[in-house]
Amino acid sequence: MKRLLVLPFIFFLTMQGYSQEARRLTLAQAEGEFLQRNFRLLAERYRVNAAEALVEQAKKWDNPTLSGTLGFGSLDKVQPFHIGGGGQLEGEVEQIIQMAGKRNKQVQLARWNAAASAAAFSELMRTLRLELRSSYYQLYFLQESEKTLRDQLANLQRILEAYRSADASGSVAHADVIRLQALQVGIANDYSDLRQQEMEASLRLQLLVGSREPVTPVADPDVLQRYKMGAYNLQSLTDTAFANRPDLMVAGHQLEAAKMNQRLQKALAVPDLHLGAAYDRKGSYIDNFIGLKVGVDLPLWNRNQGNIRASAQEVKAQAAEVDLQQLTIAAEVAHALDKIQFLEKGTEWPDLKSFNAEYTQLIEQVAANFRKGNISLLQFIDYFNSYSEHILHANKFLSDRVLAYEELNYTTGTQLFNHQ
């Protein structure tokens, strides 16, 4: 039994060593590495570069076409490649001239697609930044809770060792030792659950910053008090979101691209002009004939009707996407603001910093008085359990509060509370 009870302490001492080996990063440092090393951001940045390259490609003219006929003599006398004196040589060069501004519309369409790609990059960055900050602060508060539970376990271990010695001499009841061991197992189990959550948050943070080693946050505790609503209200926050949300920009750019594509499809129904020159050495009515070639496509069967109708429907679909995105943004901002207002006003929490310090001092006095025999075992267990639960609840509340403000940053597409 004693051997089994030692295992949780081996576990948390191992994890303590693990934390000490982690790289310590401030939020600013973590975001700096995130911008440089996050592979999803890098991949999306390459896609933006690819879309910009397509704009340059759309500006290029169609290449001219060169064709020729090399003389092979006649059926009576085959003379391969007979193009010299008395032989035949025919050549043509042709250039397509796009009509109805097709080329300009293609360039504009490529530009709108590039703008949508750039906005998609910003949207990905917005999403990953929220994930980064959420993992960062979750890990920070989990580590704060872990420190308290680790100290509790160490303190409880010292008390339990003293009780085991007293139990061996018969000066305390063996049942009291069993109760203390049960308390130890309960807190160690809470610690184990907490540590697993911490490792998961640490892994998420490590992957987001692209680090080969685990990372641990270095946050200023006073930063929590700097998250304040100030003069922001629902209307101003919604207007800010409409002006800055990248996902709305993506929808808007895609709508403009759909409109431009509709104009392009209509232009594609207009025939293109073919201009060229021809040379014929011996096959025309005179030797060394040269001529101007002019051609035009005849829109008899295909006037691009299907693509025109499809592009018109796509414009309507993208317009509906913009309306949906605006509705979604307004609802998300209102939800984020309601969450902050609930946490700030509905809970009526005391000053946790001073309260935690006072509570910690109290539990130290309780442990000292218990060792002296001034309080009962049941009182000691009650104080210990309530203190453990308070620390976990308090840090969860502080974490929820910070993340609520970060969610409002996310929903508005700006850094309203950029405290690093």
Side-chain angles (χ1 to χ4, degrees):
M1 180 66 178
K2 292 181 180 180
R3 180 178 178 84
L4 292 176
L5 292 174
V6 173
L7 292 179
F9 298 100
I10 296 176
F11 175 79
F12 86 75
L13 287 175
T14 302
M15 292 301 103
Q16 184 180 13
Y18 170 85
S19 298
Q20 290 171 348
E21 295 173 359
R23 297 174 55 225
R24 296 170 59 83
L25 295 177
T26 64
L27 183 58
Q29 292 171 332
E31 289 195 333
E33 295 193 11
F34 157 74
L35 293 175
Q36 294 178 0
R37 301 180 183 176
N38 186 274
F39 292 110
R40 290 179 63 187
L41 275 184
L42 290 174
E44 193 64 29
R45 188 177 288 117
Y46 293 141
R47 293 188 179 98
V48 172
N49 295 338
E52 292 173 350
L54 292 178
V55 176
E56 296 302 316
Q57 180 62 36
K59 296 178 181 179
K60 306 299 182 183
W61 284 77
D62 292 328
N63 290 322
T65 300
L66 176 64
S67 62
T69 301
L70 306 179
F72 261 56
S74 66
L75 293 177
D76 297 330
K77 185 179 181 179
V78 176
Q79 294 178 288
F81 303 106
H82 182 37
I83 60 176
Q88 165 67 348
L89 175 64
E90 178 185 349
E92 297 180 355
V93 61
E94 182 179 88
Q95 176 69 54
I96 296 179
I97 308 298
Q98 292 184 333
M99 307 300 290
K102 294 186 184 73
R103 178 169 163 272
N104 181 63
K105 291 179 175 64
Q106 289 170 343
V107 172
Q108 295 299 321
L109 177 60
R111 284 175 176 164
W112 282 118
N113 287 333
S117 181
F121 173 79
S122 299
E123 170 63 11
L124 177 62
M125 183 183 297
R126 179 180 76 104
T127 302
L128 291 180
R129 177 176 277 119
L130 175 65
E131 187 176 346
L132 172 74
R133 292 191 166 200
S134 297
S135 299
Y136 186 92
Y137 281 119
Q138 285 173 353
L139 181 57
Y140 170 76
F141 286 110
L142 287 169
Q143 288 179 342
E144 290 297 299
S145 296
E146 179 208 346
K147 293 174 186 176
T148 300
L149 290 186
R150 189 168 61 234
D151 291 341
Q152 275 190 291
L153 284 171
N155 194 12
L156 185 57
Q157 178 68 10
R158 289 191 294 269
I159 294 174
L160 187 54
E161 288 173 354
Y163 257 69
R164 284 173 179 155
S165 298
D167 180 37
S169 63
S171 57
V172 297
H174 183 67
D176 290 346
V177 177
I178 298 300
R179 291 293 302 273
L180 286 173
Q181 287 178 337
L183 176 61
Q184 182 192 50
V185 170
I187 296 178
N189 184 66
D190 291 340
Y191 182 89
S192 177
D193 292 341
L194 186 71
R195 196 63 188 91
Q196 291 180 59
Q197 297 176 39
E198 186 180 337
M199 286 188 289
E200 291 174 0
S202 177
L203 177 60
R204 290 195 301 270
L205 185 60
Q206 178 183 347
L207 294 177
L208 284 166
V209 301
S211 174
R212 294 184 179 277
E213 302 85 20
V215 297
T216 189
V218 181
D220 180 5
D222 292 334
V223 74
L224 312 176
Q225 303 303 321
R226 299 189 203 129
Y227 282 89
K228 301 291 184 182
M229 277 305 302
Y232 295 121
N233 56 53
L234 179 58
Q235 186 60 52
S236 65
L237 291 170
T238 303
D239 293 341
T240 299
F242 284 156
N244 295 280
R245 280 279 289 261
D247 52 347
L248 183 58
M249 294 180 188
V250 171
H253 294 332
Q254 289 176 340
L255 174 59
E256 293 302 323
K259 292 178 179 178
M260 183 56 64
N261 182 59
Q262 183 183 23
R263 291 194 286 271
L264 174 60
Q265 296 305 321
K266 291 179 179 179
L268 289 175
V270 178
D272 290 329
L273 181 65
H274 299 256
L275 292 179
Y279 167 78
D280 194 331
R281 173 179 288 180
K282 292 287 186 179
S284 185
Y285 69 98
I286 59 173
D287 292 343
N288 296 318
F289 170 82
I290 58 174
L292 174 67
K293 296 189 64 176
V294 179
V296 64
D297 298 325
L298 297 179
L300 297 178
W301 325 119
N302 182 2
R303 294 189 296 276
N304 209 34
Q305 303 96 319
N307 287 333
I308 292 173
R309 287 198 299 271
S311 63
Q313 296 302 312
E314 183 62 24
V315 169
K316 295 179 181 179
Q318 290 298 333
E321 290 288 344
V322 171
D323 292 339
L324 174 61
Q325 201 63 44
Q326 290 177 337
L327 178 64
T328 301
I329 288 173
E332 288 179 350
V333 172
H335 175 74
L337 183 59
D338 287 344
K339 185 183 294 186
I340 290 176
Q341 291 174 342
F342 169 76
L343 290 172
E344 295 290 17
K345 297 179 181 179
T347 53
E348 299 181 355
W349 277 65
D351 180 2
L352 287 177
K353 186 175 181 179
S354 60
F355 181 72
N356 286 346
E358 184 178 358
Y359 206 160
T360 301
Q361 184 179 7
L362 172 63
I363 204 66
E364 290 174 353
Q365 294 173 354
V366 167
N369 283 319
F370 177 66
R371 285 192 292 267
K372 296 176 182 177
N374 295 333
I375 62 174
S376 68
L377 176 62
L378 291 178
Q379 289 177 308
F380 172 74
I381 291 175
D382 181 63
Y383 276 115
F384 234 70
N385 281 329
S386 63
Y387 178 68
S388 175
E389 291 176 359
H390 162 73
I391 292 299
L392 294 176
H393 292 163
N395 282 324
K396 185 179 184 304
F397 167 76
L398 293 174
S399 177
D400 289 345
R401 181 181 181 274
V402 172
L403 295 184
Y405 279 95
E406 288 297 340
E407 183 179 343
L408 189 59
N409 275 340
Y410 172 76
T411 57
T412 57
T414 57
Q415 298 300 307
L416 301 173
F417 315 100
N418 189 18
H419 303 302
Q420 301 184 20

